[in-house]
Amino acid sequence: PHRLGGKGAALDRLVAWGLPVPATAVVTTHLSEVMLGTAPVKEVISRLRAGEDVPPDEVDEAFSRAEIPAATLAAIADAVATVGAGSPVAVRSSATVEDLADSSFAGQYRSILNVDPTDVGAVDRAVRAVLASLWYPAPTAYRRAFGIDDSDAAMAVVIMRMVPAERAGVVFTVDPGGRHDHARVEVV
């Protein structure tokens, strides 16, 4: 689960169980770790760790300037082309410190929808935006409030083919309303 993040690991389990999952690829947390070693990202992370509130646009800017190896970008482009198969893709967060037993980071990380899989620049920007969102002010403050060490935090990126949905929903295996012996299904 550490390399795939929470969402990526959950999707992997669903596939292993033979459940229908849209075509999916995961950019592992390794890319997040590589980017943390680049000068622009190191600088912004050191400011965050010093307690400074760094606005999301500055975090995004640092990640946009970070160098990603050409072979990695090519592998991502190939995976997106395969997953998308001509259809738009969703580029979604899959953090290692997401949806924990005593906390939930729901809605704090970026997801970019309807990304054109043939537009390599759009894919690159979406992946970088998702990776950067791990370091936005809200999730950074939330980790501090819950005593979650930043060194435990890493971001993987789930890339899924978009499906034309009539309904969307979520199943909570434990009802967040407090009834631990019930599940909750919410549909929109």
Side-chain angles (χ1 to χ4, degrees), residues 40-76:
V41 174
K42 268 186 184 177
E43 187 271 329
V44 82
I45 300 303
S46 69
R47 290 170 52 203
L48 285 164
R49 288 184 171 152
E52 185 178 335
D53 285 331
V54 180
D57 60 334
E58 287 186 41
V59 177
D60 285 338
E61 174 63 24
F63 275 80
S64 74
R65 291 185 295 118
E67 188 170 332
I68 297 176
T72 301
L73 289 172
I76 292 169

Side-chain angles (χ1 to χ4, degrees), residues 3 25 49 63 109 131-132 138:
R3 286 287 179 206
R49 288 184 171 152
F63 275 80
Y109 302 126
L131 291 171

Side-chain angles (χ1 to χ4, degrees), residues 103-118:
S103 63
S104 171
F105 286 78
Q108 295 188 33
Y109 302 126
R110 299 274 311 261
S111 285
I112 313 294
L113 304 179
N114 292 312
V115 177
D116 178 352
T118 65

Side-chain angles (χ1 to χ4, degrees), residues 87-162:
S87 296
V89 296
V91 181
R92 305 190 62 209
S93 65
S94 184
T96 57
V97 291
E98 187 171 10
D99 300 331
L100 304 173
D102 296 324
S103 63
S104 171
F105 286 78
Q108 295 188 33
Y109 302 126
R110 299 274 311 261
S111 285
I112 313 294
L113 304 179
N114 292 312
V115 177
D116 178 352
T118 65
D119 184 342
V120 177
V123 170
D124 179 40
R125 288 187 299 277
V127 168
R128 289 170 185 268
V130 169
L131 291 171
S133 70
L134 181 68
W135 301 100
Y136 283 0
T140 300
Y142 195 75
R143 284 193 298 273
R144 281 189 197 126
F146 279 89
I148 299 168
D149 191 336
D150 278 342
S151 63
D152 294 333
M155 182 68 78
V157 180
V158 169
I159 300 167
M160 300 180 81
R161 183 179 307 148
M162 298 285 296

